[in-house]
Amino acid sequence: MTDLKRRSVLAGAAAGAVALGATAAAKAAQLGPTFGNPDNPPQGAINSSAIANAEPGPQFAQLRDVMPAFANPPPTDVGGMAIPWASFNLAHKRIQNGGWAREVTTKAFPISKDIAGVNMRLGPGGVRELHWHQQAEWAIMVSGEVRITTIDALGRAEVSDVRAGDLWYFPPGLPHSLQGLGENGGEFVLAFDNGSSGEFNTLMVSDWLAHTPPEILAQNFGVPAEKFKDIPLEQLWIYQGARPGPLKPDQVYAASSNGRPDHPFIFRMSSMAPTLRQPGGEVRIVDSSNFPVSKTVAAAMVTLRPGGLREMHWHPDADEWQYFIKGSGTMTVFNTGPAAQTVNFNPGDVGYVEKNLGHYIKNTGTTDLVFLELFKSDHFSEVTLSQWLANTPRQLVREHLRVDDATLDVIHKLKDRRDVIA
């Protein structure tokens, strides 16, 4: 497994210099199955005439062009596999006074069995009502500000304000609420550690009170039943509330005589130093080693410079759920069969790679590509192809790759070299 303090998880754009050029690829196609064109019968548009590869039938160009890798896949793609792509841009919004939410779960994204995603916005004073989940909730702020409230199992409260780049984590069963702050409120992405979970089927205090006999409410809270005559009879879910005041008074009011929770429920990833920084990009790793409360979700925030590559690798311990924040990129996933499928990503898209499947991600745009990798795990781990080969006896590598000594020397140096991002 990769030790990020001595190995890279990113490869530089310079590595692309050895890629097969268009002329060479065309020649390879004429020669039959070979490098860059391995399958028989040959696949890809390079092996077809323009007229045979035309699309004269009905089509919606704007939708087609979202995924050019589907319409014109590289000749190295082969076989069929579950599509590792979805998008919040195509998810239906639930809009209420105070904010909105949209989700990507196994209903629309069957491959994503371990993690479900929710994109939510709360306007200034907008409230996601008091609720809890049967699953853990991990979240990242993508813009604006939000105030979070929760308690742990000992009744110890956390009331905190979070901003773009900050994280929070609520273990299963811990009640919480969210409220938009400032002049613009806040937007965030939630991840649940179960792919079929969603934000539309949570356990909410309004629902519970409405479905509890009034005499039970009276006995539970020690006040006359008529005091609850105006409770909402339908769930609030998201509603427009009064704008919250300063943080400190809320913290004082909610504070428990038992003190504060053992571990914070928030993490300021926006202010942490990169776990690894190289010319081609950087990565920040957040898991239970530096965010102890996050027992079931580990995360990596990856930034790739234009042309940069998240090197060929796989994850032995958990599936990978991806959320793309900025820029554009492409990914190919490799499976047994063989099967290989290439997909494109833009802001708001979601990717998913099942445990142990090989893949890479390349920045294909002119600006930084920024994306999240999430895992249903308490730790981040991976195996990289380059490190595996660099730590394998030379003769075995020679026999498998059929490369010259100079290439073997370069590969061998990767076992100790960190600066492999250009």
Side-chain angles (χ1 to χ4, degrees):
M1 296 182 187
T2 294
D3 178 353
L4 289 177
K5 295 190 181 301
R6 64 183 183 86
R7 269 291 299 143
S8 168
V9 297
L10 307 170
V18 301
L20 195 65
T23 303
K27 183 177 180 181
Q30 297 171 3
L31 297 175
T34 186
F35 178 49
N37 188 37
D39 297 296
N40 205 3
Q43 300 200 39
I46 195 171
N47 298 294
S48 178
S49 67
I51 187 65
N53 195 45
E55 297 184 33
Q59 55 183 296
F60 182 42
Q62 291 93 325
L63 184 58
R64 177 202 65 202
D65 294 343
V66 166
M67 191 63 68
F70 281 6
N72 187 25
T76 45
D77 276 14
V78 63
M81 57 194 302
I83 296 175
W85 178 93
S87 184
F88 284 121
N89 298 297
L90 298 177
H92 186 270
K93 276 184 181 177
R94 178 176 174 178
I95 304 173
Q96 294 185 194
N97 186 20
W100 55 258
R102 51 192 176 186
E103 61 183 28
V104 175
T105 71
T106 51
K107 291 179 180 179
F109 197 25
I111 190 177
S112 185
K113 296 179 178 63
D114 277 358
I115 292 181
V118 175
N119 181 202
M120 183 178 291
R121 171 167 173 74
L122 298 173
V127 177
R128 175 64 175 95
E129 76 156 288
L130 293 160
H131 67 284
W132 72 100
H133 307 278
Q134 294 168 292
Q135 298 78 30
E137 173 182 308
W138 182 99
I140 181 169
M141 288 292 300
V142 294
S143 69
E145 300 177 84
V146 163
R147 180 163 299 170
I148 64 122
T149 73
T150 189
I151 61 169
D152 67 9
L154 297 179
R156 297 175 297 188
E158 168 112 34
V159 182
S160 297
D161 292 348
V162 288
R163 299 170 180 82
D166 291 346
L167 313 179
W168 69 78
Y169 180 92
F170 301 134
L174 293 195
H176 52 277
S177 67
L178 312 166
Q179 187 169 23
L181 297 175
E183 297 300 317
N184 294 306
E187 185 175 343
F188 44 92
V189 170
L190 310 172
F192 299 109
D193 61 359
N194 183 313
S196 62
S197 301
E199 192 64 17
F200 304 157
N201 62 347
T202 53
L203 297 151
M204 287 176 277
V205 70
S206 58
D207 275 343
W208 196 10
L209 266 62
H211 293 87
T212 299
E215 63 272 18
I216 299 299
L217 293 177
Q219 184 176 358
N220 188 80
F221 292 104
V223 297
E226 59 267 22
K227 295 293 184 179
F228 297 99
K229 63 183 177 62
D230 294 325
I231 61 172
L233 299 183
E234 297 177 345
Q235 61 180 234
L236 299 174
W237 197 64
I238 287 177
Y239 69 92
Q240 183 60 54
R243 296 195 185 191
L247 175 62
K248 188 64 176 179
D250 278 357
Q251 290 177 325
V252 171
Y253 183 85
S256 168
S257 59
N258 291 327
R260 296 181 58 83
D262 291 334
H263 302 294
F265 291 97
I266 65 169
F267 184 88
R268 308 290 186 185
M269 187 172 67
S270 56
S271 60
M272 75 175 286
T275 309
L276 178 71
R277 175 183 283 148
Q278 296 180 327
E282 59 190 38
V283 59
R284 291 170 170 82
I285 305 296
V286 181
D287 59 18
S288 62
S289 66
N290 53 357
F291 189 22
V293 73
S294 187
K295 298 296 187 185
T296 63
V297 178
M301 174 72 85
V302 180
T303 299
L304 289 179
R305 309 302 179 210
L309 182 74
R310 176 73 166 88
E311 68 171 304
M312 299 168 74
H313 67 283
W314 67 93
H315 302 280
D317 298 329
D319 293 0
E320 176 182 339
W321 186 91
Q322 303 156 342
Y323 173 62
F324 288 81
I325 300 171
K326 297 179 181 178
S328 57
T330 187
M331 173 177 74
T332 299
V333 180
F334 165 73
N335 198 354
T336 61
Q341 186 172 92
T342 302
V343 292
N344 305 102
F345 291 107
N346 292 289
D349 289 350
V350 176
Y352 197 86
V353 182
E354 294 176 288
K355 180 169 60 177
N356 289 319
L357 298 194
H359 57 288
Y360 66 83
I361 299 173
K362 182 175 176 61
N363 184 341
T364 56
T366 58
T367 61
D368 285 354
L369 174 63
V370 181
F371 61 95
L372 273 173
E373 302 175 353
L374 295 187
F375 308 89
K376 186 177 179 179
S377 176
D378 66 347
H379 66 280
F380 174 92
S381 68
E382 71 173 21
V383 177
T384 67
L385 178 60
S386 57
Q387 189 176 36
W388 179 27
L389 296 178
N391 289 278
T392 297
R394 188 179 185 93
Q395 186 58 35
L396 281 174
V397 178
R398 184 197 306 276
E399 292 171 356
H400 280 77
L401 303 189
R402 301 176 186 177
V403 295
D404 59 21
D405 283 332
T407 302
L408 291 170
D409 290 342
V410 171
I411 292 173
H412 185 62
K413 291 177 182 177
L414 295 177
K415 65 188 267 184
D416 297 315
R417 190 177 115 193
R418 294 183 62 205
D419 189 14
V420 293
I421 309 174

